[in-house]
Amino acid sequence: MQAAVDHARATVRGVAGVLRVGFQGVIDDHLATAIAGFEERHPGCAVDLTEIPLADPFGALRRREVDAAVVLLPVKEPDLTLGPIFSRQPQVLAVSPRHPFAGREFVTAEELVRCPLIGVHGSAPEYWRRAQAPGTTPGGHRIPRGPAAGTLQEGMGLAAAGRGAMLLCRSTAGHQGQRASVVFVPVTGLPESVLGVVWRTEHHTGAAQAFAEEIAVAGGQA
C-alpha cells in the first residue's frame, strides 16, 4: 500500500511545466472538459494546444512538437500508443447548397455512389485517409473520388464550391455554425467518427498519462 502511495505521489510530482497537446478539427465539449479538469487537478502543469493539420495526424508527434495528440481514428502506427478513445459521433456530409442532397433530411451510405467525396492529401497513411473518405459503400459499391484537401477549411471550401462532398463528425459540423455556403446533411449506415489520445510509445510522460486519464474521466473510456 505504501509503495502505491509513493508511486502516486511521484507521478503527481512529475506532472509539471507544460503539456503540449495537438488536436484535429475543433475542441469539443468533451476535450474542453478534460483540459479544464487536468489543469484543475494539476495546477503546476499548463496545457499548450496546437492544431494539427488534417493531412498530417501523426507528424507533430514524431517531430516532437507535441507530447500527446487527439486525432481521428483509426491509429495503426507501430511507434505510437493509442490511449483512451472518446467522442463517438455520427457522420454528416458537407455539401454546397446547390447539391442534390442539400435539401434532404438525411442520406444513406449507399447513396454516396452519387457523390464524389473530398479526401485528404499529405503524409497521412493510406488506411487513415481511406477511413475519412471511404472508396466503397458498406455494400461494396464504388464511391467516386473527389479532390483532396490538406486542412478542414480547405475541404469546406471545396464543398462550398461544389467540387464534392466532405464527411465530418456531427460535432465538427456543429462548430462550423450556420453558413450560407455549406449545408450539413446526416448520413446513415456509416461507422461513427471516433477520437483518440495518442503519444509516442518511447516518450510516455507522467503528464501525458494524467491527461489521458482525464479524457477517460470526462466522458468514460469508449
Side-chain angles (χ1 to χ4, degrees), residues 131-146:
Q132 315 315 320
T136 58
T137 69
H141 301 289
R142 180 180 174 274
I143 299 174
R145 180 178 295 187

Side-chain angles (χ1 to χ4, degrees), residues 47-69:
V47 176
D48 184 13
L49 292 168
T50 299
E51 185 175 1
I52 296 174
L54 184 66
D56 190 16
F58 310 124
L61 277 170
R62 290 178 171 140
R63 293 189 298 270
R64 302 175 183 269
E65 295 170 0
V66 297
D67 304 303

Side-chain angles (χ1 to χ4, degrees), residues 92-171:
V92 302
L93 200 63
V95 297
S96 162
R98 302 176 299 280
H99 194 281
F101 289 164
R104 298 276 298 274
E105 291 187 10
F106 68 90
V107 297
T108 68
E110 297 302 320
E111 291 180 285
L112 295 179
V113 297
R114 299 161 48 196
C115 185
L117 284 185
I118 295 168
V120 181
H121 67 65
S123 61
E126 174 68 16
Y127 76 83
W128 190 90
R129 287 186 277 121
R130 277 300 181 187
Q132 315 315 320
T136 58
T137 69
H141 301 289
R142 180 180 174 274
I143 299 174
R145 180 178 295 187
T151 67
L152 173 61
Q153 292 309 316
E154 283 180 13
M156 295 291 290
L158 289 168
R163 304 291 179 82
M166 187 175 189
L167 286 171
L168 304 170
C169 72
R170 183 175 60 188
S171 177

